[in-house]
Amino acid sequence: MSTPHDELTVGATAALVGVSVRTLHHWDEIGLVHPSGRTNSDYRVYSRDDVARIHRVLVYREVGIPLAQIGELLDDPTVDQVAHLRRQRELLEGRISRLQEMVSAVDVLMEAEMNDTNLTPAEMSEIFGQEWNPEYQVEAEERWGDTEQWAQSQARSKQMSREDWERVKAESDALDADMAAAVRDGVAPGSDTANALAERHRASIDRFYDCSYSMQVCLARMYLADQRFTDRYEAVQPGLTQWLHDAIAQNASAQGVDPETAVWQ
C-alpha cells in the first residue's frame, strides 16, 4: 500500500522512469498504466504500485513485446510474473553487447557530426558494429554543413587514424558506463561528480570541434527533443537523457552560462 508521500505527479514519474509525459498519457489512454491516486486538488498521481507496473512495461517493451500483449500479460492472474521477468532478463542480457555497439555508433557519428573520415564504411562498421549507419553523415552535413563547427569536425576527422577512432569508441563506452552508474547511484546534477561527467561529455565533443558550455547546453536540449538521441541514452540507462541534460545545465550554470537562454555560440 502506498502513502501520500509515495505518490508522484505525471512529470515526476516520467523523470523517474525515463519516459516522456506524452508516453505516460498514451499508456493511460489505452489502459496500460493508469495513475491510481488523486491529490486533494483532484490531480491524478502515480502510486508505488503504478510505478512498479511501469517498470515492468518497460522491460517487456525493451524485448519487443507489443503494448497490447504487455497489457494482457500484466493483467492475466494466471501468469507467473516472476518467472516471466526472469526469462525477459535473459533476453535482455543477450542484447547488451549489440546495444552497446549501437550506442557507440550513434554517439560518435551524430554528436561528432563526422563525415569524410580516413576510414572506409567497412572499417567503421568493424569498429562500431553492424548498426553503424552512414546516413547519419548525410543528415549531419545537411544540418550543420555551413557552420564553423562542421568545418572543424571535418578537418580534425581527416587527421584521425583507425587507432584514434578505436580510442574514441573506448572513451565513449567508458563515459556511458560512468554516467549510467551515476544515475543508478542517485548522483545529483550539480554535484562535483556530475560536473566532472559533464566536463568529460564536453571534452568528447571538443575533440571534434570547439564546444562551448553554451553549445553543450544546446546539445543537451536536442537530446530531449530528438527521439533518436533519447532512445540512444535510454538504451544505456533509463533516465539518463534527462539526467545528462540537467547535469550539463547545472555545470554550465556554475561556469556563468544561463542554461535557459543559452544559444549556439
Side-chain angles (χ1 to χ4, degrees):
M1 174 179 294
S2 64
T3 69
H5 297 292
D6 298 321
E7 296 173 336
L8 299 172
T9 65
V10 63
T13 303
L16 176 67
V17 301
V19 301
S20 67
V21 170
R22 180 180 299 179
T23 294
L24 291 182
H25 283 319
H26 175 62
W27 289 357
D28 185 10
E29 291 171 0
I30 65 176
L32 186 59
V33 182
H34 290 302
S36 59
R38 290 189 180 273
T39 67
N40 293 333
S41 301
D42 206 34
Y43 289 106
R44 301 189 72 177
V45 290
Y46 290 82
S47 68
R48 181 183 301 175
D49 290 341
D50 298 333
V51 173
R53 183 180 174 97
I54 291 171
H55 281 299
R56 292 164 74 181
V57 170
L58 293 173
V59 171
Y60 292 136
R61 187 182 68 168
E62 180 62 32
V63 294
I65 298 177
L67 291 181
Q69 187 177 347
I70 292 174
E72 294 175 1
L73 287 170
L74 293 179
D75 295 330
D76 186 348
T78 67
V79 172
D80 184 341
Q81 298 293 343
V82 174
H84 198 86
L85 284 171
R86 190 173 291 120
R87 288 195 295 273
Q88 302 315 309
R89 186 178 189 278
E90 293 173 357
L91 291 173
L92 287 170
E93 288 178 337
R95 296 180 60 191
I96 286 176
S97 178
R98 184 172 65 85
L99 286 173
Q100 287 177 334
E101 292 178 349
M102 292 172 62
V103 163
S104 296
V106 174
D107 189 24
V108 174
L109 297 178
M110 295 188 70
E111 290 184 15
E113 306 167 6
M114 58 179 291
N115 187 45
D116 191 21
T117 70
N118 292 327
L119 302 184
T120 67
E123 289 173 322
M124 293 302 294
S125 180
E126 181 181 348
I127 294 173
F128 294 107
Q130 295 301 314
E131 300 297 335
W132 176 72
N133 188 346
E135 292 181 3
Y136 295 143
Q137 298 175 346
V138 177
E139 179 179 348
E141 185 170 13
E142 290 176 350
R143 295 180 66 177
W144 298 295
D146 60 349
T147 66
E148 177 183 351
Q149 289 73 36
W150 174 261
Q152 285 184 334
S153 178
Q154 279 195 308
R156 295 178 187 180
S157 294
K158 289 178 180 178
Q159 301 301 315
M160 293 175 67
S161 65
R162 179 188 179 92
E163 289 73 22
D164 292 328
W165 286 113
E166 290 174 342
R167 188 178 304 110
V168 166
K169 181 181 184 301
E171 291 175 358
S172 175
D173 288 346
L175 177 58
D176 285 343
D178 290 344
M179 292 193 300
V183 174
R184 292 193 298 270
D185 295 343
V187 174
S191 65
D192 289 344
T193 299
N195 287 344
L197 288 169
E199 288 291 349
R200 284 173 61 188
H201 172 272
R202 191 170 69 89
S204 72
I205 300 168
D206 208 51
R207 67 159 62 92
F208 294 100
Y209 61 85
D210 298 339
C211 181
S212 67
Y213 291 102
S214 184
M215 289 177 182
Q216 189 185 19
V217 170
C218 293
L219 291 173
R221 292 176 189 154
M222 183 175 64
Y223 300 157
L224 293 177
D226 189 322
Q227 190 62 43
R228 292 169 300 177
F229 279 101
T230 301
D231 291 344
R232 171 256 184 275
Y233 284 113
E234 296 309 300
V236 177
Q237 171 67 38
L240 179 55
T241 319
Q242 186 68 54
W243 184 91
L244 178 57
H245 170 276
D246 295 346
I248 289 172
Q250 292 281 355
N251 187 55
S253 180
Q255 300 297 325
V257 174
D258 182 358
E260 296 297 326
T261 59
V263 294
W264 188 264
Q265 64 180 20

